[in-house]
Structures are given as C-alpha cells and as structure tokens.
Amino acid sequence: MWIPIQINENSAEPLYHQIETQLRSLIISGAITEGTLLPSIREFAGDLKCSVITVRRVYQDLENEGLLRTRQGTGTFVSHIGTGAMEDYKQETVRKALESAVEAGLSVHCSEEELTRLFTEIVKNKYGKQAERGGS
Amino acid sequence: MGQQAIELRDVWKKRRNKTIGPMNLRLPQGYITALVGQNGAGKSTLLNMLLQLILPDEGEIRWYEETYRGVLPMELRQSIAYVPEMPQPEENFWTPGEAAAFRSHWYPSWDQSYFEELVRKFEVPENARLGKMSKGERRKFELAAALAVKPRLLLLDEPSSGLDPFAWKIMIETLQRYMDEHEATIVISTHIVEEVRRLADYIVLMHQGQLLGMTEKDSLFGSWSEIWVQIEGEQALQELAAELPQALELKLETPGVASFLTQQIYLYEKRIHDLGVKVLKSRSLELDEILSLWTRGHRPVLIDQKRGE
C-alpha cells in the first residue's frame, strides 16, 4: 500500500526522523488503521528513495513503541492503538504547536495579555467559522 | 553491519598506463551498494575482480569472509551472477531460449519459470538471435538471465544503459522484489543518480583508480547546502569569507546577493545570523552535486543520524 509521507529535503531534521514522525502520526491519528500491512522494508525504501537501513530503524522504533508488530514471513502490521494513546497524542500535538506559537510571541516581545487576547481572538474566529459551516 | 559479502584488503591492479588501488572495502551482505564514479574510475575492474575475471596484483579478496587459493570453488562461482558492461559475443547466434538452456547447464539453481516470467515482463523478443537484438533488448535478456540463476551475489555493470524508461522501471521493481524475497547482495555500477536514489543502501565512490570512500546513502541527505545571503558589496563579502572559512564557491551573484556552499548548515546558521547577514534562501544539494563535490576532494562530513533528537 502507498503511505503518504512527504520528505522535506531542505529540513535539518534527519531523514529517519522525518519518516518516523510522519508514520507515527499517521498511525495514531487513525489515518492508517489497525491491522494494515505496511510495505516491505525494501519496497518502502524504494518509494521514499532512502535506504533499507533507515526504514528498518523506523519500523524497529515504532515496534518498540507498540505501534507496529512484525510477523515472521508475513510482514509488518499496524497494532491496536488504545484510545488513551490517541488522546495523549492529540494533546501532545496541540501542546507542541501552542508552545512554538508562544515562543514566537516571546521572540517579538509580545506581552502576556496581548498573546492571550490574540489566542482568544483566533480561537473565536476559527471555531466560529467551523460552527457556521456545520450549521449550514 | 552483519556478515560481509565481499572484502578487499589492500588490493592493487597495476597496468602500464593506469594503476588502481589501494582498495580497501567491505560490502555487507543483504544490501545494495552503488558503485559510482566517472568513466575510467576503475568500477568495471573492481567488478571483474570479484569474479576473478581480473586477478589483483597485490592484496586479498574475500568472499563471504573466506579467502581462496587459486580458483573460486564452483559452488561459490555458481551463486554469483554478472551483467557485464558489454555482452559476451559467444552467445550472439543463440535465441534467448537457447542461451538459457546453455546457462542452465552451468547453474544448478537456474529457475526456468522465473526466467520466462522476466523475459515476458521485459518483452524480450523470444525468437531473435541475441546478436541481432538492440542494445536495450539484449540488456533485458542479460538481466533476466542473471536473475534466473537466483544469485546470492549479483554484479551489475551499468545495467540500465540502453533501457527505455518502461524497461528501466521494471528493472528497478524487479531488483527490489528480488532483494525482498532473497537474502542477496547487489553491487551495481551506475551513472544514473535516480538509480542510486531508488536502489542503493550504500554508496562507494571511485575516482581515478582510488576508492574515495563508502557511506550509507542516507547519511549524505542534507549534508551540503547552498545559501544565498544579502550582502552590501565586495568588502562585506571578504568579511563573510573570513568568518566562514569552510564555505565554498563564495561569490557575488548579483549586486547585493552572494551565494556559497557549506556543509552542516545547522552549525553555522547562528553565526551567520549573529554577523547580521540576512539569509535570503537556502537549499540542500542534490545527491549528484554532493558526489561531484566529493570527487573534487570535498569529502562530506557524515551526518550523525541522531541529530535532531
């Protein structure tokens, strides 16, 4: 099967890390469902134009995290992800994004009040739009 | 790295007008290694030595961590397949089927149904004599016949020369699948960067008879960057050059804009920023550019894959 992973060649992030992060979020977000057979290491490496060494490392790391399991002779499958893990992942993703937003604010000497006001404004704006779309 | 398929220890080949060596190399089993380098770098000589078609003048070659006095044992020789740069004229008057019958006699592991499957997939003309085929058609036969041996070690000397893009794609997929299903090792000499991208796990770079080195392909990823910066003029450019001694090809592109090449840009980003120099754009160099810099003596600083954690 084809896995939508996009490699950013201009990123300072190492290749294996880019692949691992994206594959992890595809699994935890449920975009790739439990029981899905992933491509073989060689096939995936060919698709991503990286080496089998990199893909093997990604599969091993995610297997250690309990997200994947390998059955001898059959291949590597997506494991069962508990709802707890999904919830943790959701929170973690949002937390990271907010942290970097706050850091951006700090770097331009934005005051706490100003930042909170902007945050509330953006939340109202975005969630309001979503409610409108949902209602129509 | 597990077991070695091939090991070269201080191997030399000395000829009247060209010397190749010293070559020290360890090719791990189960991987695809791309042999890259300009024409005449010594790639074909190296492949020929792995088959004892050329014998080294000095040094030692090991196959699967064993060394052999004299000729390779038949069993080992039968587990190695080779697609040479130029096809052997001895088979020119045979059709693919006749040549297959001859080869199967010498290779007990010959898989006739796999051979037929590949010949069909590659659309090799089945009734034509090998000598009458186009370069690409002959190449496809050679690839099919090499794989039909079910080799443990497959040596490919510029296998895609003459192949059309469709056949090229089938070749890539066939080699990937073969590696998936067999615990094999491939050494492929190539000039095609896309082939290295799609197939290789390791890269060995040769230049003028020297082995410049071997690296895991992915450790080259992002190793060099080209940076464009805003710069006042010639004097500011000189100052920047003094601050960044590792920068290559530092030059004024247009008034106000300079560019240069550097390795490990993440180490220098802060310094460039602290100098008050504005970065306008940056890009990572492509694999072929990295290899060409390496050929010119700018060996890449191999990236610690742990970076970023």
Side-chain angles (χ1 to χ4, degrees), chain A residues 1 19-20 31 36 42 49 57 62 75 77 80 84 90 100 107-108 122 126-127 136:
Chain A
M1 81 168 279
I19 299 168
E20 190 172 299
T36 305
R42 177 62 65 186
K49 299 180 184 179
R57 182 169 174 189
L62 296 182
F77 298 84
H80 175 73
K90 204 165 92 185
S100 65
S107 74
V108 294
I122 292 165
K126 296 263 178 189
Y127 277 78
S136 62

Side-chain angles (χ1 to χ4, degrees), chain A residues 7-20 39-57 61, chain B residues 30-32 175-177 179-180 194 197-202 216-218 221-222 266 269 282-286 303-309:
Chain A
I7 288 168
N8 178 1
E9 305 221 341
N10 290 314
S11 166
E13 197 185 345
L15 199 53
Y16 98 89
H17 202 262
Q18 290 191 30
I19 299 168
E20 190 172 299
S40 74
I41 290 174
R42 177 62 65 186
E43 194 186 344
F44 207 14
D47 289 348
L48 298 171
K49 299 180 184 179
C50 65
S51 78
V52 293
I53 304 153
T54 296
V55 178
R56 186 168 297 136
R57 182 169 174 189
D61 283 356
Chain B
Y31 292 97
I32 302 179
L175 293 176
Q176 283 171 347
R177 183 157 316 150
M179 286 298 283
D180 242 350
E194 195 54 23
R197 285 209 189 96
R198 300 249 186 146
L199 286 175
D201 300 311
Y202 292 95
E216 218 186 286
K217 178 179 67 182
D218 295 351
F221 177 84
Y266 54 94
E269 260 168 344
S282 72
R283 72 169 183 105
S284 294
L285 293 197
E286 301 281 343
I303 293 178
D304 177 7
Q305 291 267 314
K306 291 264 181 198
R307 175 168 59 86
E309 275 184 4

Side-chain angles (χ1 to χ4, degrees), chain B residues 36-38 193 205-207 212-213 220 222-227 246-251 260-264 283-301:
Chain B
V36 296
Q38 295 165 1
V193 179
L205 184 62
M206 292 190 76
H207 186 56
L212 295 188
L220 295 176
S223 58
W224 281 91
S225 307
E226 183 171 18
I227 315 290
Q246 87 291 349
L248 291 181
E249 298 179 15
L250 182 64
K251 58 181 181 289
F260 60 91
L261 305 178
T262 181
Q263 296 206 59
Q264 299 178 291
R283 72 169 183 105
S284 294
L285 293 197
E286 301 281 343
L287 187 57
D288 53 332
E289 297 171 301
I290 296 170
L291 293 175
S292 131
L293 280 166
W294 191 355
T295 303
R296 281 154 46 201
H298 304 293
R299 195 188 165 84
V301 177

Side-chain angles (χ1 to χ4, degrees), chain A residues 79-106:
Chain A
S79 294
H80 175 73
I81 315 294
T83 42
M86 269 196 201
E87 197 50 43
D88 287 353
Y89 176 75
K90 204 165 92 185
Q91 298 231 352
E92 190 54 32
T93 313
V94 176
R95 181 181 295 275
K96 265 193 202 150
L98 286 175
E99 263 169 13
S100 65
V102 172
E103 269 160 25
L106 281 171

Side-chain angles (χ1 to χ4, degrees), chain B residues 97-117:
Chain B
E98 287 162 352
F102 175 73
R103 292 195 187 202
S104 67
H105 174 75
W106 294 100
Y107 292 97
S109 56
W110 181 270
D111 185 335
Q112 182 64 20
S113 66
Y114 185 47
F115 173 73
E116 284 166 11
E117 180 196 322

Side-chain angles (χ1 to χ4, degrees), chain B residues 176-199:
Chain B
Q176 283 171 347
R177 183 157 316 150
Y178 186 79
M179 286 298 283
D180 242 350
E181 291 165 359
H182 303 80
E183 182 54 23
T185 303
I186 297 182
V187 185
I188 174 173
S189 124
T190 178
H191 294 293
I192 318 289
V193 179
E194 195 54 23
E195 229 158 77
V196 179
R197 285 209 189 96
R198 300 249 186 146
L199 286 175

Side-chain angles (χ1 to χ4, degrees), chain B residues 271-286:
Chain B
R271 179 156 354 137
I272 294 170
H273 184 258
D274 290 348
L275 290 169
V277 174
K278 192 174 173 224
V279 174
L280 299 171
K281 187 182 145 183
S282 72
R283 72 169 183 105
S284 294
L285 293 197
E286 301 281 343

